[in-house]
């Protein structure tokens, strides 16, 4: 189902664009699966290497920096960077969009719960105006 959604998004995009959309992953361990899902539509998968698993704020900043580097290199369209996380990383999607709302086009949280992000007292609904989150 997710692959179909990504394929539909890719078809709706204008042809012959040199910069590609990207999926930015909170949990780098999910990269292989997302690369399989996005390979056929040409999307990039971005992760942050070396970020601490225990410090969510450091992980969010490291991922945003990895995205900024991909944008700077000219390979990623800055208006089409989507944040994703599943299971335990689902809360981090909410947290990361709340902390850095201008970096993401949207987010998807698969499974898990936003409870940990909400308990951080750093998640505000206004931050989701420009970067909505699909929680499935």
């Amino acid at each position: 189902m997710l692959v179909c959604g990504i394929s539909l998004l890719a078809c709706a995009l204008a042809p012959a664009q040199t910069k590609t959309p990207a999926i930015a992953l909170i949990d780098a361990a999910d990269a292989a699966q997302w690369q399989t899902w996005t390979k056929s539509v040409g999307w990039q998968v971005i992760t942050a290497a070396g970020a601490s698993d225990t410090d969510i704020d450091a992980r969010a900043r490291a991922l945003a920096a990895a995205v900024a580097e991909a944008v700077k290199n000219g390979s990623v369209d800055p208006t089409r960077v989507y944040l994703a996380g599943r299971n335990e990383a689902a809360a981090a999607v909410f947290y990361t969009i709340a902390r850095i709302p201008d970096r993401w086009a949207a987010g998807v949280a698969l499974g898990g719960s936003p409870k940990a992000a909400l308990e951080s007292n750093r998640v505000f609904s206004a931050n989701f105006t420009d970067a909505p989150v699909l929680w499935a």
Side-chain angles (χ1 to χ4, degrees):
M1 181 166 84
L2 182 59
V3 174
C4 292
I6 291 172
S7 295
L8 287 173
L9 283 173
C11 290
L13 300 174
Q17 293 187 10
T18 58
K19 295 183 180 184
T20 63
I23 298 289
L25 300 176
I26 295 291
D27 185 359
D30 284 341
Q33 182 63 61
W34 281 95
Q35 287 169 339
T36 299
W37 288 337
T38 61
K39 184 178 184 177
S40 66
V41 293
W43 288 36
Q44 290 191 40
V45 175
I46 300 172
T47 62
S52 168
D53 285 341
T54 58
D55 184 354
I56 183 57
D57 209 47
R59 283 175 40 195
R61 287 190 315 267
L63 185 57
V67 168
E69 186 62 30
V71 169
K72 181 180 171 185
N73 291 341
S75 62
V76 170
D77 181 346
T79 64
R80 297 184 295 161
V81 177
Y82 303 90
L83 181 64
R86 64 184 181 119
N87 300 328
E88 295 295 321
V93 170
F94 292 91
Y95 182 87
T96 302
I97 284 183
R99 297 295 285 156
I100 312 165
D102 58 335
R103 172 51 64 197
W104 322 106
V108 60
L110 304 172
S113 169
K115 185 177 180 182
L118 296 172
E119 290 175 347
S120 73
N121 292 322
R122 293 183 174 186
V123 176
F124 306 99
S125 60
N127 292 358
F128 296 91
T129 303
D130 293 327
V133 175
L134 170 65
W135 178 30

